[in-house]
Amino acid sequence: MTYDAIPGWFYPIDQAGFAWTLEFQNDTAPPGDLLELGTYLGKSAILMGQKLKQGERLTVCDLFEDVMTWDGANPVEKAFFGTRTPTRDQFEANYRAFHPALPEIVQGPTGSICQHVAPGSCRFVHIDASHVYANVREDTASARKLLQENGVVVFDDYRKPQCLGTAAAVWEAILNDGLKPVFATDAKLYATWGDPEPLRAAITARARASDWCRTGKPVAIRDMQIIRLARHGK
Ligand SMILES: C[S@@+](CC[C@H](N)C(=O)[O-])C[C@H]1O[C@@H](n2cnc3c(N)ncnc32)[C@H](O)[C@@H]1O
């Protein structure tokens, strides 16, 4: 199986965003665990697993085949997953094609994640499960609790018209709850409750050194800055 053949919504620009963020942390941050809320068939989890250091743990949380019967999804999400229900078996087979051991798997709603992961234990959290406002808000609160100082949270679909609930939860956290944006791609926003500057500088340097992507000029929002990471010509 090739990585590109795994279905999912994890594009090369975010494969770079994840890899560069995790490699920056590997070089500069204390050890910490990785967490993914919303795993589907494992495309982003497989890359996260590749950046684990000795002794660190990746936990993934997904309803898998229970997504259709879970009562917290709205009709739009149910319609979406009706034709694409992921199964845990498919996820495990995909993950095992790239790694010798599975990650910790929590099969259940992301709202239960704080019962499985210790406060302050994570350096990186990817929020990509339900895109309903109340659920993303709850996942954001969990990320804040579970992240270590300067840990990074990544939100999927923070700006799509079909995902206004995610947009609302993300900007509420930025404008009211001290979350600081670091950089954004078309699909994902990378942020921290710690110091955003060192990671922003590292991403800018990695983009400059690459021949296929770039960062734009910083955009000011109140006293914060955010940069866009994009392919050349986009
Ligand atoms: C957009 S997909 C994740 C994509 C994946 N990160 C990738 O890169 O391919 C969203 C996943 O979240 C799961 N999901 C949706 N709502 C959930 C919830 N409340 N709790 C746990 N998992 C949920 C779905 O089963 C689905 O697998």
Side-chain angles (χ1 to χ4, degrees):
M1 175 188 301
T2 64
Y3 183 74
D4 287 346
I6 299 172
W9 300 268
F10 189 50
Y11 305 110
I13 195 73
D14 286 299
Q15 293 167 25
F18 273 47
W20 294 348
T21 299
L22 290 164
E23 288 165 12
F24 169 75
Q25 290 184 325
N26 284 347
D27 291 343
T28 62
D33 294 334
L34 314 184
L35 171 65
E36 178 162 83
L37 305 178
T39 287
Y40 194 59
L41 298 179
K43 195 150 191 150
S44 41
I46 288 166
L47 188 150
M48 290 168 71
Q50 282 162 352
K51 302 300 173 188
L52 279 177
K53 286 191 293 195
Q54 185 95 36
E56 293 178 333
R57 187 162 39 171
L58 168 64
T59 301
V60 302
C61 175
D62 203 296
L63 287 155
F64 296 110
E65 45 272 47
D66 302 333
V67 71
M68 290 305 291
T69 49
W70 181 59
D71 58 11
N74 70 15
V76 176
E77 287 193 316
K78 284 220 160 95
F80 181 81
F81 286 114
T83 53
R84 306 172 179 84
T85 309
T87 70
R88 181 166 174 166
D89 284 352
Q90 287 170 315
F91 163 72
E92 291 189 1
N94 289 347
Y95 197 90
R96 279 189 195 284
F98 294 86
H99 294 289
L102 289 172
E104 301 292 322
I105 301 175
V106 176
Q107 181 166 358
T110 57
S112 68
I113 196 63
C114 291
Q115 295 163 31
H116 302 276
V117 178
S121 62
C122 296
R123 61 181 166 106
F124 187 95
V125 176
H126 182 206
I127 298 183
D128 191 10
S130 168
H131 291 40
V132 170
Y133 167 76
N135 299 328
V136 182
R137 182 108 182 104
E138 183 176 47
D139 292 347
T140 306
S142 300
R144 187 171 195 178
K145 200 176 294 175
L146 301 176
L147 279 170
Q148 65 189 28
E149 196 182 352
N150 293 319
V152 173
V153 58
V154 184
F155 296 92
D156 185 62
D157 280 342
Y158 69 102
R159 60 174 209 110
K160 257 198 195 161
Q162 299 90 327
C163 303
L164 293 175
T166 302
V170 169
W171 287 106
E172 190 172 358
I174 292 171
L175 297 175
N176 296 343
D177 298 336
L179 183 66
K180 295 161 202 135
V182 182
F183 68 99
T185 63
D186 285 3
K188 299 193 194 278
L189 186 133
Y190 299 67
T192 180
W193 280 277
D195 181 359
E197 289 306 333
L199 175 59
R200 191 176 300 128
I203 296 295
T204 304
R206 292 293 297 258
R208 271 200 196 124
S210 87
D211 57 3
W212 64 280
C213 67
R214 64 185 174 85
T215 50
K217 287 205 168 69
V219 172
I221 300 167
R222 293 192 179 162
D223 59 346
M224 298 173 279
Q225 303 279 323
I226 185 165
I227 53 170
R228 176 170 177 236
L229 177 67
R231 283 170 172 269
H232 283 307
K234 296 239 173 171

